[in-house]
Structure formats: C-alpha cells, structure tokens
Amino acid sequence: MKASGSFTYSDGATYTITHGSVIIAAITSCTNTSNPTVMLGAGLLAKKAVENGLTVLPYIKTSLSPGSGVVTYYLKVCGIGVEDHY
C-alpha cells in the first residue's frame, strides 16, 4: 500500500500527496555570483514554463532566490523579476 495523506487547503479544495509529491520548488544558489549563468538559465527556464502554461498547485511553495545583488540585477535585466513567483 502506498502511503498518502489528504488535506484541505486554504482554497477549500482537498488534495492528496503521496511519497514523491513535490511540495517545495526552489531555484536558489549562494555561489551564483561566481557562475551566474546557471541561475539565469534556471530563471529563464522557469519563466518560459509559466509562459507556456505550466502551473503549480496552490499548496506548493515556490521561490526564486538569487544569492547576490548582481545576480538580482541580471535577472531583472532578463525580465525575470525576483518579486515574481514561479
């Protein structure tokens, strides 16, 4: 038998999670100033996924968290504001 649990989220819907369910999705790095292309690539991939209709269930915590002001600037220049949620 597969372990699972159900819960009612604040939107009123009932969801079921099982082993392997995604509940946190984060793009982050503390070393991305030395190699910002990885963070930029991940941010651009997330942006394109949203633009192409990929959605996230409402209970999944998502974050895009650059490790420096420089990378934050790069993301904004690329049109990926860190204030956005993916």
Side-chain angles (χ1 to χ4, degrees), residues 52-69:
N52 284 289
L54 183 70
T55 60
V56 178
L57 293 170
Y59 64 84
I60 298 175
K61 168 65 178 151
T62 61
S63 69
L64 171 65
S65 181
S68 72

Side-chain angles (χ1 to χ4, degrees), residues 5 24 26 32 43 45 51-53 63 73-74 76 78-79 82-83 85:
I24 299 173
N32 59 41
L45 179 65
E51 290 172 353
N52 284 289
S63 69
Y73 172 77
Y74 292 158
K76 286 182 180 181
C78 291
V82 293
E83 65 280 348
H85 300 281

Side-chain angles (χ1 to χ4, degrees), residues 39-50:
M39 187 73 177
L40 291 172
L44 288 168
L45 179 65
K47 181 179 183 211
K48 287 294 184 185
V50 170

Side-chain angles (χ1 to χ4, degrees), residues 1-17:
M1 184 165 108
K2 198 174 203 179
S4 66
S6 295
F7 63 95
T8 302
Y9 191 65
S10 61
D11 63 1
T14 300
Y15 299 95
T16 301
I17 58 173

